[in-house]
Each structure stands twice: as structure tokens, then as C-alpha cells.
Amino acid sequence: MSKPCVLLAAELPEATCAELRALFDLVELPKDEAERPAVLARHGSRIRGMALRKTRVDAPLLAALPALEVIASYSAGLDNVDLAAVKARGIALENTSQVLADDVANTAMGLALALTRDLVNADAYVRSGQWPQRGQYPLGRSISSMRVGIVGLGSIGLAIARRMAAFGAQVAYFGPSRKPVDWPYYDDVTELARHCDLLVLTCPLTPATHHLVDARVLDALGPRGYLVNIARGPVVDEAALIAALAADRIAGAALDVFEHEPEVPTALLQDRRLVLTPHIGSATEEARSAMADHVVHTLARHFGLRRSGQAGAVR
């Protein structure tokens, strides 16, 4: 029996690629886009699955894959996928948002604590020898007494909300619809920001969320309000954020993602009120291993295949 043909459109760990090769007739999408048409012309008609990471899945690519049944994305974000086109074709699509939710939530908590307690600058204060000369470091703020707004209560947002509640914060959320939770729901992100001391962004990047956090939302957050973004950079209007910081209209921000990453504006790099990290929300050994495993699991399950070393069929 021939193996199902799967397109490898992702850079994945070698162990993951080895398992995919064992299970499937694996076709690798060239990194050089100029070489892709020839590969797709040769193999596209028999490709039934795709292992995806950052490759753009648009109408032309889908047209070259008429037999495609399933896409397994290594990432949580799907802003590189034409979701409408995928849905119209009836192609199954899975990401890793549930797999990486805990580690991203832990990152968000670390960023929030570093921001509100000024931990990065406090570390520099000790290392630079200022403590003996200047004495007690300025006071920070307590998350335990804050009203925290979560923008996007999916798997990651829910994990953050639960952690914030465990810290004693008052949680509320914004999203396209209410969820079966007891926290207050806002259908307007500006009103949520006005209600909150700390706004945490976890929503996907879509046309509706591009620049969702603009000057109006930042003004509603106010001069004692904080922003944490572990979603996608373009969810925030970066120019509006820079202007708000310059005018002291918000207290500070912790950013793991940026509008044009890896490029970061000088104004953000030089602002001590910011905590900046290089898109490391899910960057733990454990999370990345689980994400890679989920890609294999999704494809194997779709085709009813048993993975090596497993006692039973993939469920």
C-alpha cells in the first residue's frame, strides 16, 4: 500500500522530519521560491497533506494542490494562511495553540511581572553598583490588585486569565463572542482598556485585529495602564504606541512581538519603560517538542496511520 503524499512546507526538527518520512511519501517545498513551481507541477496533484510553519498558504498554492485534505501547522498563529480559501475547499486545518498555551501564558506572566515591578531595570540597578549609593529602588505595582483585560480568550488567553486570577487580579475579556466563563465580557476593546490597569493581547492577527490597539485604545488604557503583547506585532499600531509613550499617555509595555520584526524602532529600544523580548512566547524545549509531535500526530491521525512505538492506532 502506497504512503499518503505530504508536503513539507516547514522547517522542523530533524527527528520530526525523519518520522514524517517514515510515515509518508514526503515532498519538500524548496526554500527558494523560484524552484517551487517545478516541484509543485511534478508532485502537486498527489499531495494530500501539508506540514506547515511560516510558508504562505494562498490561493495560488492551494490551486497547485488539488488533492490537499489536511494542513498541520506547527504554529499557533495562522495569519500566513488564507483561511477563507482553505475553508471553501473543505481542507482540515489544525494549529498548536492548545499545545503551547501553557508556555506562552507563562511568558506573558513573566513579562507582566517584569513590566509592573520594573525587574529589568532593577537588575541593571544592582549590576551597575547604584544600590549602595542611591539606596532603595522605586516602588513597583502589584498585579494582585490590578484589573486585567485579556484580548482574545482562546486557549492561550484562557491560560493567562486563569494565572492572573490565581495571582488575585480581577479579570475581564474581549473577543468576538462570549465564552462560558464567569469573568466580565466586553464587546468593545476600548471599553475594556478603560476598565483595566493591564491589557494583555493574545488574539490572532486577522483583518479585524490589525491595529486593533490604536491611539484610542491606548488613551483609554491611560497614563497608569500597561500593555503586554504576546499575540502578533501588527495587532498594535506601533506608531501610536510610540506616540503614547512619548506623551506619557501609558505607563509602559512588554512586547514579545513587533510590527516589522525582527526590526524594532529605535524609540522602543531606548525606552526604559518597555520590556522587549524576541518573539519567544513558546520558545521552550518542551513546547517546541510537543508542537512538532502534534504536527505528526495530526497528519497520522487524519490518514489513520500508526506511529512507530505506539501501542495502538493514533486517536
Side-chain angles (χ1 to χ4, degrees), residues 85-104:
V86 168
K87 183 178 180 180
R89 281 270 302 271
I91 298 167
L93 173 62
E94 285 200 28
N95 64 1
T96 54
S97 59
Q98 292 185 332
V99 174
L100 53 75
D102 283 337
D103 278 306
V104 176

Side-chain angles (χ1 to χ4, degrees), residues 236-255:
V236 176
D237 182 340
E238 214 162 73
L241 174 61
I242 290 170
L245 288 163
D248 295 326
R249 298 202 311 271
I250 67 167
L255 309 174

Side-chain angles (χ1 to χ4, degrees), residues 125-297:
Y125 187 77
V126 174
R127 292 178 186 274
S128 64
Q130 296 180 70
W131 192 8
Q133 287 76 38
R134 302 182 62 179
Q136 183 64 43
Y137 197 74
L139 300 179
R141 301 272 302 280
S142 173
I143 283 179
S144 299
S145 64
M146 285 187 176
R147 296 169 298 178
V148 176
I150 310 295
V151 178
L153 203 68
S155 299
I156 296 170
L158 185 60
I160 294 170
R162 287 171 174 163
R163 284 160 172 75
M164 288 291 182
F167 269 68
Q170 299 177 48
V171 174
Y173 71 100
F174 162 84
S177 61
R178 291 180 181 271
K179 297 295 180 73
V181 296
D182 292 333
W183 301 307
Y185 169 70
Y186 286 75
D187 61 5
D188 184 307
V189 69
T190 304
E191 288 305 310
L192 176 64
R194 187 169 288 115
H195 164 84
C196 290
D197 304 294
L198 172 66
L199 197 65
V200 184
L201 310 182
T202 73
C203 57
L205 176 60
T206 67
T209 63
H210 183 269
H211 284 187
L212 178 68
V213 176
D214 55 14
R216 190 173 58 153
V217 174
L218 294 169
D219 284 344
L221 191 56
R224 284 178 58 80
Y226 296 98
L227 177 71
V228 174
N229 188 8
I230 50 86
R232 286 290 186 266
V235 172
V236 176
D237 182 340
E238 214 162 73
L241 174 61
I242 290 170
L245 288 163
D248 295 326
R249 298 202 311 271
I250 67 167
L255 309 174
D256 184 49
V257 289
F258 303 87
E259 190 160 5
H260 304 291
E261 61 185 54
E263 300 301 322
V264 180
T266 301
L268 298 182
L269 294 174
Q270 294 179 344
D271 197 319
R272 295 179 71 255
R273 295 167 295 177
L274 303 184
V275 178
L276 310 176
T277 51
H279 203 148
I280 57 170
S282 65
T284 68
E285 295 175 5
E286 294 82 359
R288 293 299 166 85
S289 176
M291 290 159 66
D293 184 74
H294 187 73
V295 170
V296 180
H297 176 81

